[in-house]
Amino acid sequence: LVGTVLPFVMYTKGLAEIESGKAAILASVEPVSATLFEVCWLKTPFVWIDILGFICIFVTVFLLAKKG
């Protein structure tokens, strides 16, 4: 319950509080936080493909935020 229901409820309540464009941009950063938690908590290796993914996500978020 703590790992699935609570985050889902909090996520949907948060989406109701902000506009849809900002919510979409914020949701695209979710893989970054998931990877960071995985590296810190599960001690998985942080490799070059992760860095490449971070760069792609941050460039996309920056471009979308700048456009909007």
Side-chain angles (χ1 to χ4, degrees):
L1 288 175
V2 175
T4 55
V5 175
L6 184 63
F8 179 75
V9 170
M10 292 173 67
Y11 180 72
T12 54
K13 287 196 181 284
L15 288 178
E17 299 292 324
I18 60 175
E19 60 189 63
S20 60
K22 289 183 181 178
I25 292 171
L26 222 86
S28 65
V29 181
E30 188 176 341
V32 173
S33 62
T35 302
L36 292 176
F37 277 116
E38 178 183 345
V39 168
C40 293
W41 191 19
L42 300 176
K43 306 293 189 234
T44 59
F46 190 75
V47 294
W48 67 272
I49 198 74
D50 296 323
I51 296 169
L52 181 62
F54 278 23
I55 291 169
C56 290
I57 289 170
F58 286 130
V59 167
T60 303
V61 167
F62 176 74
L63 292 174
L64 288 173
K66 190 173 182 179
K67 185 178 179 183

